[in-house]
Amino acid sequence: MLSNMNSDASGEVPVVIVGAGPVGLALANDLSWRGIPTVLIDRRTEPLNFPTSESIHTRTMEQFRVWGIAEEVRFAGFPPDMPRDVHFATRVTGYRLGRVPRASNRLQQEISSPISPEGPIWCPKFLFESVMRKALAKGGATQFLFGHEVVSFDEDETGVTVCVKELATGRDFSLRCRYLAACDGASSGIRKSLDISLQGTFAEGRNLGIFLRSAQLRSLMQDRAGVMVDIVNPDFSANLSAVDGQDLWRLIIFMRDGDPGGLDPATCVRQTVGCDIDAEILDARAWAGHTVVAERFRKGRAFLLGDAAHLLWPRGGFGMNTGVGDAANLGWKLGAVLKGWGGAGLLDSYEAERRPVALRNVAEAALNYRSEASLPVSAAIEDAGALGDAQRQALAEAIVATRAREWNTMGLQLGFRYDDSPVCWSDGSAVGSNDNAQYVPTTRAGARAPHAWVRPGVSTLDYFGRGFCLVHHGGESTVGFEAAAAGRGIPLSALELEENASAELYERKFVLVRPDGHVAWRSNELPADAGHILDRAAGINCIGR
């Protein structure tokens, strides 16, 4: 049961967040960490028990690290030493077609250490959401209103009046806030009220998701360590993934033709496995895949985040992670404006920075879907003998050529940049690679500032978050920057790197890093007017795109 910290919320609060899924929880965590009170509203009174969003990207884990919950998420309950391998087969008990090896949650952090203090992990939503809710309760800046819905809202020059209904009693009351954040999912009522349309392709496929419990299935998978098996055969495609690393599983049937509405879940399980097994069907839901992005991410004092702003095919784990990226981007900007040191240009920059990322990620997820749908599946793929062997070999080669990229996205996870941001200073350098697979560290304006170990267990990334950070080396004074920041009330710290590989990684003598860990400005020389640099970075004096 989701409990309300204060079901009698009233008066004025800086931010009202609608939707308590991963993205709403992420924005609340970011604002709570910054000391900004919020009210978090959700219709649900029970956590959503249908499993989704198991794949947590490296950048999301880095954000969890900022909030101090990365370790709790990594060890939230999914077996930390279970390999995250992805297998391909005609059926669970059928012919094997290949494997993408991936390290366990624990080992992956060590493997990722040259480029990040964290690393991607596998952790189902019901586990990491619990950690996020506990962190909010501990922080004390968030009021939960579960079992409530937003009936309407009205904006004026100074804020937003939000009309709320308690569903169990029908009681109506109003909240007053400075800003409204819509994290209320694909069918966002806030987005519809704002008359913001989604652009792209809707309902590209009709599919069936099945949540099941089976100890026998775990036994069948014992010699195939990993978290997922992709099923490819002449009848259908499917994805079977581990939910708890024990007896809980999620099965997705991807329909090539027709509507799955009449499909029997138990039959789907049997056909996927290739034999009868003991399995308890816990839930089954039909769903459609979309490739759409909202035409706008902001209207007045209201902002769209997560599925309210973009809908992606669930291939590659981009949906939830893109939404958490939205929250990390908007959170520090709202915090800066509410605390008085951020200008209006900061809030304008949210859409300018995040919408291109959403377009890129939506396109990549769609490419993964199309790669899966276009695999050369022969009618003889499950036949014994030479013909079947040849067809399986061809399919295995196609899988290696096209499907492996779905689990090789470090460039997309860490390499996204805000190239055209109105609050970043471009130095005119070449744009460089922006490959989805390969991550190339850079301090080009808009890029994620690179990770380097400052000392054992402490990353450069650990210095970013509360305010701006001037990373520098060479021994020159940073007094000018510090004085300019102090005069404007802008929080600024400094990190001096030794003249070694870490300094070389930062490419310039001076790199100004924003609270979200992205580069605002860089140069080999201190500016004549540091305040001019800070004004733009803080959205006080922005240059249009």
Side-chain angles (χ1 to χ4, degrees):
M1 183 76 173
L2 298 175
S3 59
N4 291 322
M5 293 176 63
N6 181 357
S7 60
D8 295 317
S10 61
E12 183 164 332
V13 67
V15 182
V16 166
I17 303 170
V18 185
V23 179
L25 290 170
L27 181 60
N29 267 278
D30 193 83
L31 291 170
S32 175
W33 185 76
R34 299 181 191 285
I36 303 296
T38 63
V39 171
L40 184 59
I41 302 173
D42 198 290
R43 289 179 55 87
R44 296 175 299 157
T45 57
E46 298 286 347
L48 186 64
N49 62 1
F50 197 86
T52 58
S53 307
E54 303 98 337
S55 184
I56 302 181
H57 286 176
T58 304
R59 189 63 178 140
T60 300
M61 285 298 292
E62 290 178 351
Q63 190 57 53
F64 288 167
R65 184 183 180 96
V66 170
W67 302 330
I69 61 174
E71 281 296 284
E72 288 183 74
V73 171
R74 181 176 293 104
F75 299 104
F78 193 85
D81 297 310
M82 183 175 181
R84 296 177 301 120
D85 292 7
V86 177
H87 298 267
F88 297 86
T90 58
R91 302 180 195 266
V92 172
T93 58
Y95 293 96
R96 302 187 183 192
L97 301 169
R99 176 178 69 101
V100 177
R102 301 192 303 165
S104 67
N105 288 353
R106 191 196 307 272
L107 183 58
Q108 185 61 57
Q109 185 179 25
E110 179 182 337
I111 293 172
S112 298
S113 63
I115 60 172
S116 174
E118 297 298 332
I121 70 167
W122 187 268
C123 182
K125 184 169 73 171
F126 75 91
L127 292 174
F128 71 77
E129 276 192 349
S130 176
V131 174
M132 297 170 83
R133 285 193 296 269
K134 289 176 181 176
L136 287 177
K138 184 177 180 180
T142 305
Q143 298 180 73
F144 294 136
L145 291 181
F146 294 123
H148 292 69
E149 70 174 0
V150 172
V151 177
S152 64
F153 59 92
D154 183 57
E155 178 180 331
D156 55 43
E157 291 184 0
T158 61
V160 184
T161 300
V162 183
C163 296
V164 181
K165 175 179 285 188
E166 186 175 23
L167 297 176
T169 65
R171 180 176 67 97
D172 294 319
F173 58 95
S174 294
L175 295 173
R176 182 75 178 165
C177 64
R178 293 277 301 279
Y179 299 100
L180 179 65
C183 306
D184 50 342
S187 300
S188 171
I190 305 298
R191 186 189 65 235
K192 293 173 182 176
S193 296
L194 294 170
D195 196 27
I196 297 176
S197 63
L198 296 171
Q199 299 176 335
T201 304
F202 292 88
E204 290 185 279
R206 298 289 298 174
N207 313 286
L208 184 66
I210 303 168
F211 183 27
L212 65 136
R213 176 183 288 112
S214 175
Q216 187 178 357
L217 186 53
R218 178 180 52 156
S219 178
L220 289 173
M221 294 284 289
Q222 279 185 343
D223 65 339
R224 203 175 307 185
V227 296
M228 183 185 299
V229 56
D230 259 19
I231 302 297
V232 185
N233 60 54
D235 301 323
F236 60 90
S237 297
N239 175 273
L240 179 68
S241 59
V243 173
D244 64 351
Q246 300 294 327
D247 300 338
L248 297 178
W249 305 84
R250 185 188 68 182
L251 173 63
I252 299 177
I253 303 293
F254 297 101
M255 297 300 297
R256 297 192 180 120
D257 297 294
D259 189 325
L263 290 183
D264 174 56
T267 300
C268 291
V269 172
R270 182 175 65 253
Q271 292 180 344
T272 298
V273 176
C275 65
D276 287 319
I277 63 167
D278 291 329
E280 177 188 1
I281 306 299
L282 302 175
D283 200 353
R285 303 181 180 187
W287 58 275
H290 307 292
T291 306
V292 295
V293 177
E295 61 177 343
R296 301 175 63 181
F297 280 25
R298 178 193 183 187
K299 191 171 184 179
R301 293 177 175 272
F303 299 84
L304 305 182
L305 298 84
D307 285 355
H310 38 73
L311 296 175
L312 300 80
W313 269 94
R315 304 292 332 199
F318 304 135
M320 180 275 294
N321 291 285
T322 305
V324 172
D326 297 341
N329 185 283
L330 182 60
W332 79 270
K333 295 173 180 178
L334 285 172
V337 171
L338 290 165
K339 290 185 175 181
W341 60 265
L346 270 187
L347 301 183
D348 290 336
S349 73
Y350 168 66
E351 178 181 314
E353 293 185 346
R354 291 305 299 174
R355 192 168 187 274
V357 173
L359 288 167
R360 178 186 180 187
N361 291 0
V362 164
E364 182 67 14
L367 179 59
N368 288 334
Y369 162 69
R370 294 188 182 101
S371 295
E372 186 278 330
S374 64
L375 287 173
V377 183
S378 164
I381 205 72
E382 295 185 283
D383 292 352
L387 177 59
D389 289 343
Q391 295 299 327
R392 287 186 288 275
Q393 179 63 31
L395 179 56
E397 291 173 358
I399 287 171
V400 171
T402 63
R403 295 299 315 287
R405 65 175 289 144
E406 184 173 334
W407 296 278
N408 185 27
T409 59
M410 198 55 68
L412 184 142
Q413 294 183 39
L414 298 181
F416 65 90
R417 301 191 302 261
Y418 303 137
D419 285 328
D420 297 322
S421 172
V423 294
C424 292
W425 288 87
S426 172
D427 61 1
S429 59
V431 172
S433 171
N434 203 5
D435 182 78
N436 287 348
Q438 299 299 319
Y439 167 64
V440 179
T442 180
T443 54
R444 191 175 189 276
R448 161 193 174 270
H451 151 75
W453 292 112
V454 178
R455 58 182 183 273
V458 178
S459 166
T460 49
L461 274 59
D462 296 329
Y463 287 81
F464 312 146
R466 296 293 184 187
F468 287 92
C469 181
L470 186 62
V471 182
H472 63 101
H473 64 92
E476 295 189 49
S477 172
T478 60
V479 170
F481 254 106
E482 293 165 358
R488 289 162 170 77
I490 296 175
L492 174 74
S493 61
L495 170 61
E496 184 172 7
L497 299 177
E498 297 181 5
E499 293 284 357
N500 57 19
S502 297
E504 183 178 342
L505 184 68
Y506 268 70
E507 300 177 317
R508 301 291 191 274
K509 283 188 177 181
F510 303 95
V511 178
L512 182 65
V513 182
R514 312 185 323 183
D516 64 348
H518 284 257
V519 175
W521 167 89
R522 68 177 184 175
S523 177
N524 280 322
E525 299 179 357
L526 285 167
D529 184 358
H532 187 48
I533 301 297
L534 288 166
D535 281 346
R536 180 172 175 181
I540 298 170
N541 182 21
C542 299
I543 299 173
R545 294 177 69 185

